[in-house]
Amino acid sequence: MKVLEGKDLDGAQIQGGELGRLEDCSLQRAHLRDVRVLSLRDCDLRGATLERCDLRSADLRGCRLDGALLRACQLDGVQAQGCTLRDCVLSPSARQHVLAGGGGVEVAEGDGRLRRWAPRLRWAALLLLPLTLLALLPPKQAAPGPNPENYRPPPDAEARTQENLARLRAGLSEAHEQLRRHPGRHWPTLDELQANHYDLDGDGPGQALGILVPGGLPRNLLSAAEGSVLPYCNEVPDQATLTGVDTDWHYCPENGRVFASAALTDAPTLSW
C-alpha cells in the first residue's frame, strides 16, 4: 500500500473508493464522501467534511480536525492520539470512539460553553416557541425556479468560459503527463473529471489522488448546469451536437479532448 506524503489536496472533492494511507498531507476544506480511509496520520483536515466515510481502525494520530464536519462516519477502533477536535461537529457516539482511541485527545472547546449557557438556552427556547409554531404553518407556494430554457448567460460568459476551459485543459494535460509514466490508461476517467481528481498511477495498485484543477471544477457560464460532465467522443465533432444539451463540459476519456457545451446558446465552442 502506498503512503502519500506532503501532498496538498486542499479543497479536494473525493467520492467513493479507498484513499489509502496519507501522512503529513493537507486536506483543508476537502469533501470526502463514501471513502474508505486507512490512515491520515499528521494530516491537516481543518474545515473538511467527511460523509459516510469508513474510518474503522484508521490511524488519525496527530490529525487536525478543527472545524471539521463528520457525518455518519464509522470510527470504531480509530487511533487518535494527539488528534485535535476544536469546534469539530460529530455525533456523541463518534466522539466517544475518538476519545477512546486517543486518551489525551483535545476535544472541542465549545462543550463547556454549552453547559454554562444551557439554562439561558432553555428560557430562549420557551420565548421562541410562538415563532416556532408560526414557522410550522404551511408556507405559501413558491414560484417555480427558472428552467434551463430561461437561463440567460451573463455578458462576459464567453470570455470567462474560455478562461475556465483553458484551465481545465491545462489540468487534463498535466494529468496526462503523469499517467503516461504508468501502463494502462493515459487520461482521467469521466468520473474522475466529474470529481476533479484522478489516481496518480492510473490503473496501478493502490490509490494516490491528484487534483485536476485547483479550487474546484470550473464553471461553464454558457450553461445553467453546475459542474456536470457528459461523454463526447465523436471523431468529427460538430457544433450541432454541442448545443441544446444543458451540461458544463463534453469530455472524451479516450483522448482527453474536452469542449465547453454551448448549451442553449449559439456560442462557437468548437473554435475555442
Side-chain angles (χ1 to χ4, degrees), residues 3-249:
V3 177
L4 185 62
E5 299 181 354
K7 187 68 178 178
D8 184 355
L9 294 170
D10 289 350
Q13 304 285 321
I14 304 173
Q15 181 169 352
E18 183 175 287
L19 194 55
R21 301 184 183 275
L22 304 182
E23 289 188 7
D24 195 25
C25 290
S26 181
L27 283 147
Q28 293 187 50
R29 302 174 304 281
H31 193 155
L32 280 63
R33 180 182 298 162
D34 298 315
V35 176
R36 169 64 174 144
V37 178
L38 300 180
S39 174
L40 292 172
R41 188 167 182 177
D42 296 319
C43 289
D44 189 348
L45 281 90
R46 287 176 294 175
T49 299
L50 284 72
E51 294 187 74
R52 301 188 302 273
C53 291
D54 185 352
L55 293 148
R56 288 174 294 179
S57 301
D59 186 352
L60 301 185
R61 287 176 291 177
C63 184
R64 300 186 65 178
L65 284 159
D66 304 336
L69 169 63
L70 277 69
R71 181 183 295 130
C73 293
Q74 302 178 66
L75 289 153
D76 311 57
V78 69
Q79 305 173 58
Q81 292 87 347
C83 178
T84 63
L85 289 156
R86 292 188 186 93
D87 300 316
C88 178
V89 180
L90 67 169
S91 68
S93 61
R95 176 167 295 181
Q96 184 177 2
H97 285 304
V98 175
L99 290 173
V105 172
E106 195 172 344
V107 299
E109 296 176 344
D111 293 349
R113 293 195 298 268
L114 182 60
R115 286 193 294 270
R116 291 194 297 271
W117 279 86
R120 301 181 188 182
L121 291 174
R122 283 195 292 269
W123 279 108
L126 291 174
L127 292 173
L128 291 173
L129 182 58
L131 294 177
T132 304
L133 294 175
L134 287 174
L136 294 176
L137 293 175
K140 294 181 179 179
Q141 186 67 33
N147 56 37
E149 287 77 5
N150 295 332
Y151 177 70
R152 295 293 179 267
D156 58 349
E158 289 194 28
R160 290 169 59 188
T161 300
Q162 287 182 13
E163 294 174 1
N164 289 342
L165 179 60
R167 291 174 53 222
L168 182 55
R169 285 174 172 167
L172 287 168
S173 178
E174 185 175 335
H176 176 59
E177 292 302 315
Q178 169 68 28
L179 292 171
R180 286 177 58 189
R181 304 171 190 169
H182 306 280
R185 60 185 174 86
H186 290 163
W187 292 95
T189 66
L190 186 72
D191 289 339
E192 286 177 330
L193 176 57
Q194 179 76 71
N196 194 35
H197 65 72
Y198 68 103
D199 193 340
L200 292 170
D201 67 353
D203 300 324
Q207 187 178 54
L209 300 179
I211 298 298
L212 282 170
V213 184
L217 190 68
R219 278 290 317 278
N220 171 4
L221 297 172
L222 300 173
S223 168
E226 295 186 1
S228 58
V229 182
L230 289 178
Y232 184 82
C233 286
N234 288 10
E235 291 186 11
V236 182
D238 63 275
Q239 184 68 27
T241 60
L242 295 176
T243 57
V245 180
D246 190 39
T247 187
D248 270 1
W249 311 108

